[in-house]
């Protein structure tokens, strides 16, 4: 009876209606490729980031955290290769003045512009994706800085600082969550391709001979992470990069892909990057970034396995995957079937009528004080309130009714099965604990 028919338009509308995501500066007509996250969106992002941190830091080897700066000097981006290579091919339509990525599958330079139907292209040129700014009052070459297009470089430039201050030993990882900025030529598909977004990146350092087995371990672990978040396993796959897709220094690269309505697309990139990153920064900074191996009494530059996923892209994936429409009592019901572990609201407490508001509120306040993510909703018919909670993915609603006054039980209504059972008030917390376990 499920009539799952998710589209990007439905997701965008639900996100706005229920306070997950808003176009940034919407009252000034918005800013392209930039979004603000409303109360439920901000909460969902927190859940995603906490789950990711747990997944990477619970690895058998040490994984420590870092929170690097967003502004980076030109030297950092020269060494990383971004200043010379981080660009996309750009083409303009001279007739309608629209800009496109020349490698966009919808663009064929032998054919007319898809926007205006006229064939009048400029030549293809490379467009630098990093946002440039100036530090301080002078705008000269020495003051140039860039907003980071990925978080990883802060990890590499701090590699020695972390090693000497934290007493971690190879193999170990450094994990970081933070904003990244890319001046995407055509931001599109909502949160899929943004200009300001958040990344969760793990750089795992090991000896060269260990890299391919850690690479395999991380590929499996990261795919399993998405399954544990409740994402449909059949809609996930690990796709190896073909030889011509690999960066020259990269030994292997797999994308974790998800089957979006607009095709299989990258959710996370996992790469065996060899010793490229530390070698480059050592070369450009003149600082020693190798480590000494006591066993062999020799120094070596560690290799890196990188796992890089966008918070926002995972957010969008979770929405697509959780979105369902079914027919309940002749009406279409929209429901987000989030795993309880990730749902921004775990439970709603609903008084059946206004007369019961005070008693129901006591239950709500008691559980809220214990740290559960709850909503209290007393307005509208009970059916309408259930629908509102379904639409934001709340796994259970506890309804306080007149029977509660008599026998101390509430109705627990399950979002997915719609089954309603009566449970004692003193069992509500245990119910929540089981849901979150
Ligand atoms: P794509 O090919 O989709 O542009 P990429 O290969 O350039 O991605 P990476 O540099 O590998 O992306 O970035 C790692 C992860 O960061 C991606 O897998 C994605 O989840 C996220 N990401 C990258 N660019 C964006 C963006 N513009 N908006 C949202 N998320 C992004």
């Amino acid at each position: 009876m499920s009539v799952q028919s998710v589209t990007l338009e439905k997701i965008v509308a639900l996100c706005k209606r229920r306070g997950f995501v808003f176009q940034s500066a919407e009252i000034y007509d918005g800013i392209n490729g930039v979004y603000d996250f409303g109360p439920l969106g901000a909460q969902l992002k927190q859940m995603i980031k906490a789950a990711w941190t747990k997944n990477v830091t619970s690895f058998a080897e040490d994984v420590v955290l870092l929170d690097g700066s967003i502004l980076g000097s030109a030297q950092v981006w020269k060494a990383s290769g971004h200043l010379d290579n981080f660009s996309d091919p750009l083409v303009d339509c001279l007739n309608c003045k629209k800009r496109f990525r020349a490698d966009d599958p919808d663009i064929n330079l032998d054919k007319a512009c898809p926007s205006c139907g006229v064939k009048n292209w400029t030549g293809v040129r490379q467009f630098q994706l990093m946002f440039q700014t100036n530090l301080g009052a002078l705008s000269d070459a020495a003051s140039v800085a860039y907003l980071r297009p990925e978080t990883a470089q802060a990890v590499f430039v701090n590699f020695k600082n972390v090693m000497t201050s934290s007493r971690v030993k190879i193999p170990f990882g450094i994990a970081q969550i933070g904003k990244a900025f890319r001046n995407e030529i055509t931001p599109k598909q909502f949160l899929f391709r943004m200009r300001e977004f958040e990344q969760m990146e793990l750089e795992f350092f090991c000896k060269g001979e260990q890299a391919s087995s850690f690479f395999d371990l991380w590929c499996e672990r990261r795919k399993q992470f998405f399954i544990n978040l409740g994402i449909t396993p059949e809609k996930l796959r690990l796709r190896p990069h073909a030889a011509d897709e690999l960066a020259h220094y990269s030994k292997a690269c797999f994308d974790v892909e998800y089957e979006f309505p607009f095709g299989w697309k990258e959710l996370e990139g996992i790469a065996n990057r060899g010793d490229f990153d530390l070698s480059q920064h050592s070369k450009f900074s003149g600082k020693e970034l190798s480590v000494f191996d006591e066993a062999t009494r020799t120094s070596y530059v560690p290799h890196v396995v990188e796992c890089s996923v966008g918070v926002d892209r995972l957010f969008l994936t979770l929405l697509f995957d959780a979105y369902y429409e079914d027919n309940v009592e002749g009406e279409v019901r929209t429901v987000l079937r989030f795993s309880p572990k990730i749902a921004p609201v775990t439970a709603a407490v609903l008084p059946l009528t206004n007369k019961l508001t005070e008693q129901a509120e006591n239950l709500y306040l008691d559980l809220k004080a214990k740290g559960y993510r709850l909503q209290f909703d007393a307005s509208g018919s009970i059916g309408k309130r259930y629908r509102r909670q379904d639409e934001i993915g709340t796994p259970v609603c506890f309804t306080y009714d007149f029977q509660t006054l008599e026998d101390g039980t509430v109705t627990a209504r399950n979002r997915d099965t719609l089954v309603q059972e009566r449970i004692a008030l003193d069992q509500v917390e245990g119910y929540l604990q089981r849901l979150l376990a």
Side-chain angles (χ1 to χ4, degrees):
M1 85 160 171
S2 164
V3 285
Q4 187 184 7
S5 56
V6 59
T7 62
L8 189 61
E9 292 68 33
K10 287 182 182 179
I11 294 287
V12 174
L14 189 152
C15 279
K16 181 172 176 191
R17 190 165 67 243
R18 294 295 176 208
F20 281 93
V21 186
F22 308 121
Q23 181 74 55
S24 186
E26 196 190 69
I27 59 168
Y28 295 103
D29 295 332
I31 159 169
N32 203 2
V34 183
Y35 294 91
D36 295 331
F37 289 79
L40 291 177
Q43 182 63 50
L44 181 56
K45 277 182 111 184
Q46 295 288 338
M47 307 301 296
I48 291 172
K49 290 190 262 188
W52 181 84
T53 305
K54 192 168 168 199
N55 175 267
V56 294
T57 58
S58 60
F59 189 58
E61 307 293 348
D62 279 336
V63 173
V64 294
L65 303 180
L66 185 87
D67 189 356
S69 68
I70 284 172
L71 286 168
S73 71
Q75 289 110 301
V76 170
W77 305 111
K78 183 76 190 162
S80 69
H82 284 82
L83 261 183
D84 296 326
N85 301 319
F86 198 60
S87 53
D88 278 338
L90 169 75
V91 68
D92 289 292
C93 169
L94 285 168
N95 185 53
C96 70
K97 312 286 182 241
K98 283 231 163 84
R99 302 199 128 169
F100 300 94
R101 262 176 79 159
D103 58 354
D104 186 322
D106 296 337
I107 299 299
N108 182 342
L109 299 182
D110 294 328
K111 293 195 174 154
C113 164
S115 174
C116 68
V118 174
K119 182 171 170 265
N120 193 2
W121 298 111
T122 61
V124 175
R125 57 207 186 280
Q126 289 301 316
F127 177 74
Q128 169 56 253
L129 295 179
M130 281 197 294
F131 286 99
Q132 184 180 324
T133 186
N134 291 88
L135 300 183
L138 289 177
S139 307
D140 57 10
S143 70
V144 170
Y146 296 88
L147 300 189
R148 62 184 182 194
E150 60 173 30
T151 65
Q153 296 308 317
V155 168
F156 302 132
V157 300
N158 279 296
F159 171 71
K160 263 281 147 88
N161 282 338
V162 171
M163 265 210 93
T164 50
S165 61
S166 328
R167 306 184 52 79
V168 279
K169 292 218 163 39
I170 301 282
F172 76 96
I174 304 180
Q176 183 175 208
I177 299 178
K179 288 268 182 170
F181 303 82
R182 295 183 187 179
N183 199 2
E184 299 280 359
I185 297 168
T186 41
K188 58 179 180 180
Q189 280 136 354
F190 193 36
L191 307 180
F192 187 83
R193 190 170 303 288
M194 305 155 82
R195 289 192 167 127
E196 174 180 336
F197 56 100
E198 235 175 331
Q199 284 185 316
M200 304 186 282
E201 295 196 295
L202 167 75
E203 309 303 323
F204 192 81
F205 299 94
C206 59
K207 288 184 180 170
E209 61 268 28
Q210 301 171 311
S212 86
S213 61
F214 277 121
F215 175 78
D216 292 346
L217 270 181
W218 279 111
C219 282
E220 240 354 275
R221 189 176 175 87
R222 295 299 307 143
K223 187 174 169 215
Q224 194 56 45
F225 166 73
F226 296 117
I227 294 170
N228 292 347
L229 286 186
I231 297 176
T232 312
E234 294 71 33
K235 291 194 167 191
L236 286 167
R237 71 178 183 196
L238 272 167
R239 185 184 70 83
H241 277 206
D244 60 353
E245 282 181 275
L246 286 177
H248 64 93
Y249 50 82
S250 198
K251 302 221 179 318
C253 188
F254 274 39
D255 286 345
V256 182
E257 293 190 332
Y258 178 77
E259 191 180 15
F260 291 94
F262 41 88
W264 285 95
K265 299 278 175 195
E266 172 179 337
L267 174 56
E268 168 158 347
I270 305 172
N272 176 352
R273 300 176 59 87
D275 64 2
F276 176 77
D277 305 286
L278 292 180
S279 297
Q280 282 293 103
H281 283 297
S282 186
K283 186 165 129 200
F284 279 76
S285 67
K287 304 280 171 2
E288 192 52 65
L289 295 179
S290 56
V291 297
F292 186 68
D293 184 2
E294 296 287 348
T296 59
R297 314 290 300 160
T298 52
S299 293
Y300 65 96
V301 178
H303 285 219
V304 170
V305 173
E306 175 181 81
C307 307
S308 175
V309 55
V311 177
D312 317 83
R313 204 174 277 186
L314 175 52
F315 185 112
L316 183 65
T317 307
L318 287 166
L319 283 167
F320 270 119
D321 204 69
Y323 187 98
Y324 277 85
E325 287 173 2
D326 51 17
N327 280 304
V328 176
E329 289 156 15
E331 268 182 44
V332 175
R333 175 180 82 123
T334 302
V335 53
L336 288 181
R337 290 192 184 164
F338 286 136
S339 152
K341 289 190 194 116
I342 208 87
V345 179
T346 309
V349 178
L350 315 173
L352 186 64
T353 75
N354 282 340
K355 289 193 186 104
L356 298 164
T357 297
E358 207 181 309
Q359 292 95 324
E361 214 170 23
N362 289 339
L363 172 65
Y364 163 72
L365 290 174
D366 176 44
L367 294 168
K368 186 165 166 262
K370 290 177 176 153
Y372 293 101
R373 298 182 306 281
L374 301 180
Q375 277 197 356
F376 184 78
D377 189 357
S379 63
S381 74
I382 194 74
K384 277 220 174 76
R385 283 181 272 162
Y386 284 150
R387 294 291 176 278
R388 276 204 287 268
Q389 294 301 329
D390 291 339
E391 230 188 24
I392 65 170
T394 308
V396 63
C397 292
F398 298 114
T399 305
Y400 201 106
D401 55 21
F402 290 103
Q403 194 179 326
T404 315
L405 298 178
E406 288 164 21
D407 64 6
T409 64
V410 287
T411 300
R413 180 246 189 209
N414 182 295
R415 175 197 67 196
D416 301 332
T417 61
L418 300 177
V419 167
Q420 304 197 8
E421 55 179 321
R422 293 212 70 95
I423 60 167
L425 280 169
D426 62 8
Q427 282 173 23
V428 170
E429 190 177 1
Y431 189 104
L432 288 176
Q433 282 168 352
R434 280 194 301 283
L435 213 50
L436 295 170

